[in-house]
């Protein structure tokens, strides 16, 4: 018993020639190093207690004989040796719940089982059979993993691991192209283009978050239990959480701003004095950035936490303040969705008023609005529903299922927005070809866009009375006479 002796190091050959069954080193808070050869020449150790010490590793030479290991409040012991080296361990009381995952369904490598194991009555003596015959074992380990950190990798199913890479690459490439074209174009910076730049940047940040999560999962695959603490408590996890909350809130805010701007433009098409100017858009997006930064910053100062789960989302709702924070964000996202739905419904009703609008154009607008609303619904509502139930401590799905939502639904807008708001529009295609033509590519296509007169500018299927409304619709919904959605 060497407890509370201010020991700082256990040097090589310290216990040479000793016969120990139990060694208690607990309470030596300055003990940071145990030499790999500290137990050379000693008898096999059965019980080791390094609780409340600063050790970061254990000597491999003693692991084979240990039956009981106590390492409670040993916060620097973040990585355990290979579990197969604990050939006789029965009891483990550790610091971190994730380490107990290492002993779940552990198999022992017994190359020479005793001949008595073949006796018919060997299995009737559980203690004997477990100690000398069985390759699998049940180790009593504490603390046990909780529902927020189950015994699995960050992305456990292989299909999910592949899918997150596909979605993250699509989000990165799609939004990077949108930003490149919008910022590299020589066209005048209008309010819609200004808002689209912010939307593409927010969705690009979401792609960066997904790449970070996928990379960490790849690097820790199969041994996440040894990296869980380092990752979840690290600056990298906090940075990833900050980026995803910022990106999510800024994307939702910008989508809402784009929709409201379209609704305002159409409903006030005859009132040029009420047109939304670029300075107004700057004020709106400054508000959006301020709100998104504040929402992402709060978990770093104690309101909820990014370290609760392996995917670094603010799922800590232990305190009332954290509950209010999480529920408030989710409710705001749901309200934003209803705002988008209301605006598109109003736009559609406005669009149907001119009696001369052809049926096929009416159908295209309805289809486009339906897709926009559907993608928003799939992205926001399922996640918000399950997250609100979890925030009130009535979870309807497990963390493993939540990861499926993270990969399949959470980034849907980040992947679809470049197509719905950019790639499928006539204006974006024109800007793209004109941009690449400067580098000697697609010159013929660029010349066509330079010389053609867009039907958005001269709509032929509107009556004189409604021509300004139809022009606004064509611009805001990115429809033209040659485009099929």
């Amino acid at each position: 018993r060497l407890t509370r002796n201010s020991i700082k190091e256990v040097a090589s050959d310290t216990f040479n020639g000793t016969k120990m069954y139990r060694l208690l080193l607990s309470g030596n808070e300055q003990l940071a190093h145990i030499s790999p050869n500290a137990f050379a020449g000693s008898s096999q150790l059965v019980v080791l207690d390094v609780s409340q010490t600063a050790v970061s590793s254990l000597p491999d030479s003693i692991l084979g004989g240990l039956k009981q290991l106590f390492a409670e409040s040993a916060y620097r012991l973040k990585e355990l040796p290979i579990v197969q080296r604990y050939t006789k361990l029965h009891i483990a009381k550790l610091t971190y719940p994730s380490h107990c995952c290492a002993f779940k369904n552990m198999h022992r490598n017994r190359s020479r089982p005793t001949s008595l194991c073949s006796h018919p009555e060997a299995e009737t003596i559980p203690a004997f059979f477990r100690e000398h015959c069985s390759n699998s074992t049940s180790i009593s380990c504490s603390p046990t993993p909780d529902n927020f950190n189950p015994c699995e990798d960050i992305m456990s199913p292989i299909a999910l691991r592949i899918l997150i890479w596909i979605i993250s690459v699509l989000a990165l490439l799609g939004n990077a192209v949108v930003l490149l074209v919008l910022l590299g174009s020589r066209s005048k910076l209008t309010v819609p283009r200004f808002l689209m730049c912010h939307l593409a940047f927010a969705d690009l940040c979401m792609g960066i978050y997904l790449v970070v999560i996928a990379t960490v999962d790849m690097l820790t695959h199969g041994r996440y239990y040894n990296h869980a603490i380092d990752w979840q408590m690290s600056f990298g996890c906090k940075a990833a959480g900050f980026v995803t909350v910022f990106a999510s809130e800024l994307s939702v805010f910008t989508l809402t701003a784009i929709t409201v701007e379209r609704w305002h433009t159409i409903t006030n098409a005859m009132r040029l004095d009420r047109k939304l100017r670029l300075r107004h858009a700057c004020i709106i997006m400054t508000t959006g950035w301020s709100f998104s930064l504040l929402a992402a910053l709060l978990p770093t100062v104690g309101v909820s936490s990014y370290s609760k789960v392996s995917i670094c989302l603010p799922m800590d709702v232990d305190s009332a303040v954290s509950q209010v924070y999480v529920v408030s964000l989710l409710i705001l996202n749901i309200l934003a969705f209803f705002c988008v739905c209301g605006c598109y419904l109003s736009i559609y009703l406005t669009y149907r008023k001119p009696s001369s609008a052809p049926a096929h154009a009416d159908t295209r607008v309805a289809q486009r609005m339906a897709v926009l609303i559907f993608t928003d619904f799939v992205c926001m509502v399922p996640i918000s529903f399950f997250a609100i139930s979890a925030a009130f401590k009535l979870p309807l799905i497990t963390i493993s299922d939540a990861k499926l939502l993270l990969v399949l639904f959470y980034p849907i807008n980040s992947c679809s927005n470049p197509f719905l708001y950019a790639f499928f529009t006539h204006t974006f295609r024109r800007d793209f070809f004109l941009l690449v033509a400067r580098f000697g590519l697609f010159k013929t296509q660029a010349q066509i866009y330079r010389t053609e007169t867009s039907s958005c500018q001269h709509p032929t299927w509107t009556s004189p009375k409604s021509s300004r409304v139809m022009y606004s619709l064509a611009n805001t919904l990115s429809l033209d006479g040659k485009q099929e959605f």
Side-chain angles (χ1 to χ4, degrees):
R1 184 186 297 273
L2 299 173
T3 59
R4 298 180 179 85
N5 276 287
S6 300
I7 299 172
K8 298 181 179 180
E9 180 185 6
V10 179
S12 180
D13 297 319
T14 296
F15 299 107
N16 190 7
T18 60
K19 296 182 179 180
M20 287 187 301
Y21 176 86
R22 178 185 293 108
L23 176 61
L24 310 181
L25 293 168
S26 60
N28 293 285
E29 297 180 356
Q30 299 179 22
L31 176 58
H33 179 65
I34 299 178
S35 172
N37 299 319
F39 298 89
S42 65
S43 61
Q44 200 168 57
L45 196 62
V46 176
V47 180
L48 176 63
D49 188 350
V50 291
S51 301
Q52 301 174 31
T53 65
V55 296
S56 57
S57 61
L58 298 175
D60 291 344
S61 59
I62 63 170
L63 301 180
L66 282 182
K67 294 184 179 180
Q68 299 180 26
L69 173 62
F70 301 93
E72 298 172 292
S73 299
Y75 297 105
R76 294 191 181 181
L77 188 60
K78 298 177 181 179
E79 185 172 348
L80 294 178
I82 299 174
V83 294
Q84 282 74 18
R85 294 175 181 173
Y86 300 91
T87 56
K88 297 183 179 180
L89 192 66
H90 295 318
I91 297 175
K93 294 185 178 181
L94 308 174
T95 304
Y96 301 111
S98 59
H99 285 163
C100 285
C101 296
F103 301 110
K104 187 178 180 180
N105 300 325
M106 189 184 81
H107 292 272
R108 306 193 193 281
N109 295 321
R110 299 187 190 278
S111 56
R112 296 181 180 179
T114 177
S115 58
L116 295 176
C117 292
S118 59
H119 194 279
E121 297 184 1
E123 295 189 23
T124 63
I125 310 174
F128 170 82
F129 190 82
R130 182 183 65 241
E131 181 70 24
H132 300 284
C133 306
S134 177
N135 279 331
S136 62
T137 184
S138 176
I139 295 177
S140 174
C141 185
S142 64
T144 56
D146 56 19
N147 292 330
F148 286 96
N149 292 283
C151 292
E152 61 185 23
D153 291 327
I154 298 178
M155 294 290 146
S156 291
I158 188 169
L160 206 59
R161 185 170 289 117
I162 295 173
L163 199 58
I164 192 174
W165 276 109
I166 295 174
I167 292 176
S168 59
V169 170
L170 284 176
L172 282 176
L173 291 180
N175 290 288
V177 170
V178 172
L179 271 178
L180 183 64
V181 172
L182 291 177
L183 296 177
S185 173
R186 294 173 179 174
S187 301
K188 180 183 177 181
L189 183 62
T190 60
V191 171
R193 294 172 67 87
F194 176 76
L195 294 177
M196 266 305 303
C197 286
H198 289 273
L199 181 62
F201 176 76
D203 293 337
L204 182 69
C205 289
M206 182 63 72
I208 292 173
Y209 161 76
L210 292 173
V211 166
V212 169
I213 294 297
T215 302
V216 174
D217 172 67
M218 181 179 64
L219 295 176
T220 61
H221 176 55
R223 296 193 67 197
Y224 181 69
Y225 62 85
N226 256 348
H227 302 277
I229 303 305
D230 275 340
W231 165 240
Q232 291 177 216
M233 298 298 177
S234 69
F235 173 80
C237 184
K238 292 181 175 64
F242 179 93
V243 167
T244 188
V245 171
F246 167 77
S248 176
E249 296 309 311
L250 184 61
S251 180
V252 170
F253 185 93
T254 311
L255 277 174
T256 308
I258 290 174
T259 306
V260 172
E261 187 271 336
R262 290 179 169 184
W263 169 81
H264 181 271
T265 301
I266 291 171
T267 55
N268 295 278
M270 305 297 293
R271 298 282 304 274
L272 294 179
D273 59 312
R274 302 188 66 177
K275 182 180 179 181
L276 191 67
R277 307 292 180 181
L278 195 57
R279 65 176 183 274
H280 301 144
C282 289
I283 295 173
I284 292 172
M285 289 315 302
T286 299
T287 304
W289 273 71
S290 300
F291 168 74
S292 302
L293 288 171
L294 177 63
L297 185 64
L298 286 177
T300 66
V301 295
V303 180
S304 192
S305 172
Y306 291 128
S307 302
K308 188 75 171 180
V309 293
S310 60
I311 51 180
C312 305
L313 293 178
M315 293 186 176
D316 185 0
V317 291
D318 292 338
S319 67
V321 176
S322 298
Q323 274 186 312
V324 171
Y325 164 78
V326 173
V327 172
S328 298
L329 285 185
L330 295 172
I331 290 177
L332 286 174
N333 289 347
I334 293 175
L335 291 177
F337 169 73
F338 284 117
C339 177
V340 169
C341 291
C343 287
Y344 278 127
L345 178 61
S346 177
I347 292 173
Y348 184 67
L349 293 177
T350 302
Y351 178 78
R352 287 182 61 87
K353 285 181 181 179
S355 57
S356 59
H360 68 87
D362 179 74
T363 302
R364 288 205 309 273
V365 173
Q367 289 175 340
R368 186 174 182 81
M369 290 180 181
V371 172
L372 293 172
I373 292 174
F374 176 75
T375 55
D376 288 343
F377 175 85
V378 171
C379 182
M380 297 180 190
V381 176
I383 292 177
S384 297
F385 173 75
F386 289 113
I388 287 177
S389 69
F392 286 109
K393 300 184 179 179
L394 297 170
L396 300 177
I397 58 174
T398 64
I399 289 294
S400 300
D401 296 330
K403 292 177 182 178
L404 187 64
L405 287 179
L406 167 74
V407 174
L408 293 182
F409 298 101
Y410 189 53
I412 274 187
N413 275 349
S414 300
C415 292
S416 63
N417 286 340
F419 295 92
L420 298 179
Y421 291 86
F423 295 157
F424 288 162
T425 67
H426 180 276
T427 304
F428 181 85
R429 292 199 299 270
R430 181 198 66 198
D431 290 343
F432 173 78
F433 284 115
L434 292 179
L435 177 63
V436 298
R438 285 189 265 170
F439 300 94
L441 303 173
F442 300 107
K443 289 185 177 182
T444 303
Q445 194 70 26
Q447 186 61 33
I448 294 174
Y449 278 100
R450 286 193 187 99
T451 56
E452 74 173 3
T453 302
S454 174
S455 60
C456 288
Q457 297 172 344
H458 301 287
T460 59
W461 42 267
T462 61
S463 62
K465 183 178 179 180
S466 61
S467 61
R468 189 175 294 278
V469 176
M470 289 299 98
Y471 176 68
S472 299
L473 279 164
N475 284 334
T476 55
L477 292 176
S478 302
L479 289 172
D480 57 73
K482 299 180 180 179
Q483 180 179 345
E484 292 291 340
F485 178 73

